[in-house]
């Protein structure tokens, strides 16, 4: 399960308009000549370095956190991941697999609709939400070879439904359900992080109550 939360900042909202990657890809007619702006030599260097110095990313099991038998061991893993890494992979999170599969299907179906139809959801100046790219601050900046769809999902009052695809017909309902499941997972994690910090979970929960949640789908 992946969740991509982004902070709504002026630099993100003021992103420059750039060409659509799907359109660029189609114009290549099968050629491998990707525009220079999308080539990142440093990425290959990082991949080589990662292979040489392979490390195991921290994994936290939410089911074990909820089990008194394994709680102490798993809480220590969570504590270490938060202190040493700042992120971790979460397993046994409880989000229904059928919902995750449906979300993947809906997102792929959205990206398969005619490019002309996706323009209805195109990002507008000063808004991070919608279809396009974000965080583009200069004409010389290297870009990702991918388009994205960014949706503000929580709190519900932050949603701009004009950016939520109406096709496929199940898309909006699936994203809404998935967003709710992520909220439940986040609430559980805040509970256990608070316990690790020696803070009352209810106090910790109030601190983060109503925080922004956003989903980003890459193509």
């Amino acid at each position: 399960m992946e969740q991509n939360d982004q902070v709504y900042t002026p630099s993100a909202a003021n992103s420059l308009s750039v060409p659509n990657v799907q359109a660029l890809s189609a114009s290549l007619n099968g050629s491998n000549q990707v525009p220079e702006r999308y080539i990142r030599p440093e990425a290959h260097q990082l991949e080589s370095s990662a292979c040489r110095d392979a490390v195991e990313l921290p994994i936290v099991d939410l089911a074990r956190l909820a089990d008194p038998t394994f709680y102490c061991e798993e809480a220590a893993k969570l504590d270490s991941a938060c202190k040493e890494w700042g992120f971790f992979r979460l397993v046994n999170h409880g989000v229904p697999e059928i919902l995750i599969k449906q979300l993947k299907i809906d997102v792929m179906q959205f990206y398969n609709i005619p490019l002309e139809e996706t323009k209805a959801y195109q990002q507008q100046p000063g808004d991070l939400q919608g279809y396009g790219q974000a965080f583009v601050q200069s004409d010389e900046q290297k870009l990702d070879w991918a388009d994205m769809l960014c949706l503000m999902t929580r709190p519900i009052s932050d949603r701009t439904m004009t950016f939520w695809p109406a096709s496929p017909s199940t898309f909006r309902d699936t994203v809404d359900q998935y967003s709710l499941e992520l909220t439940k997972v986040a609430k559980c994690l805040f509970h256990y992080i608070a316990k690790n910090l020696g803070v009352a979970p209810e106090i910790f929960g109030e601190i983060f109550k109503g925080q922004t949640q956003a989903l980003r789908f890459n193509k």
Side-chain angles (χ1 to χ4, degrees), residues 49-58 85:
S49 175
C51 289
R52 290 195 305 268
D53 307 315
V55 292
E56 187 172 337
L57 297 177
W85 288 79

Side-chain angles (χ1 to χ4, degrees), residues 4-166:
N4 290 289
D5 293 330
Q6 296 185 3
V7 178
Y8 216 175
T9 64
S11 61
N14 293 330
S15 181
L16 299 177
S17 178
V18 295
N20 180 276
V21 171
Q22 280 187 279
L24 283 174
S25 178
S27 69
L28 295 178
N29 295 319
S31 168
N32 291 325
Q33 296 300 314
V34 176
E36 183 67 27
R37 193 176 184 187
Y38 297 88
I39 298 176
R40 297 172 177 252
E42 72 277 7
H44 299 292
Q45 296 173 2
L46 289 173
E47 288 176 1
S48 298
S49 175
C51 289
R52 290 195 305 268
D53 307 315
V55 292
E56 187 172 337
L57 297 177
I59 297 176
V60 174
D61 189 323
L62 192 56
R64 286 170 64 92
L65 277 171
D67 188 329
T69 303
F70 304 105
Y71 168 74
C72 290
E73 178 184 350
E74 208 62 30
K77 291 181 181 179
L78 174 63
D79 186 54
S80 174
C82 291
K83 289 178 179 177
E84 304 298 329
W85 288 79
F87 62 90
F88 51 86
R89 179 187 174 196
L90 187 68
V91 298
N92 293 324
H93 40 68
V95 178
E97 187 63 30
I98 190 172
L99 177 60
I100 296 174
K101 289 181 179 179
Q102 184 61 51
L103 181 66
K104 291 178 179 179
I105 291 171
D106 286 349
V107 171
M108 289 307 301
Q109 287 185 354
F110 165 72
Y111 278 120
N112 285 333
I113 67 175
L115 185 59
E116 192 65 28
E117 293 183 29
T118 65
K119 292 182 179 180
Y121 311 106
Q122 189 170 354
Q123 290 171 334
Q124 300 301 310
D127 203 330
L128 175 62
Q129 299 183 84
Y131 178 59
Q133 285 207 28
F135 307 102
V136 182
Q137 301 299 307
S138 76
D139 292 329
E140 292 74 36
Q141 180 180 332
K142 290 288 188 179
L143 301 176
D144 294 328
W145 187 245
D147 295 315
M148 73 158 200
L149 175 65
C150 181
L151 302 175
M152 309 301 289
T153 51
R154 299 280 166 174
I156 294 178
S157 58
D158 283 354
R159 296 179 179 180
T160 304
M161 298 308 296
T162 53
F163 292 119
W164 288 50

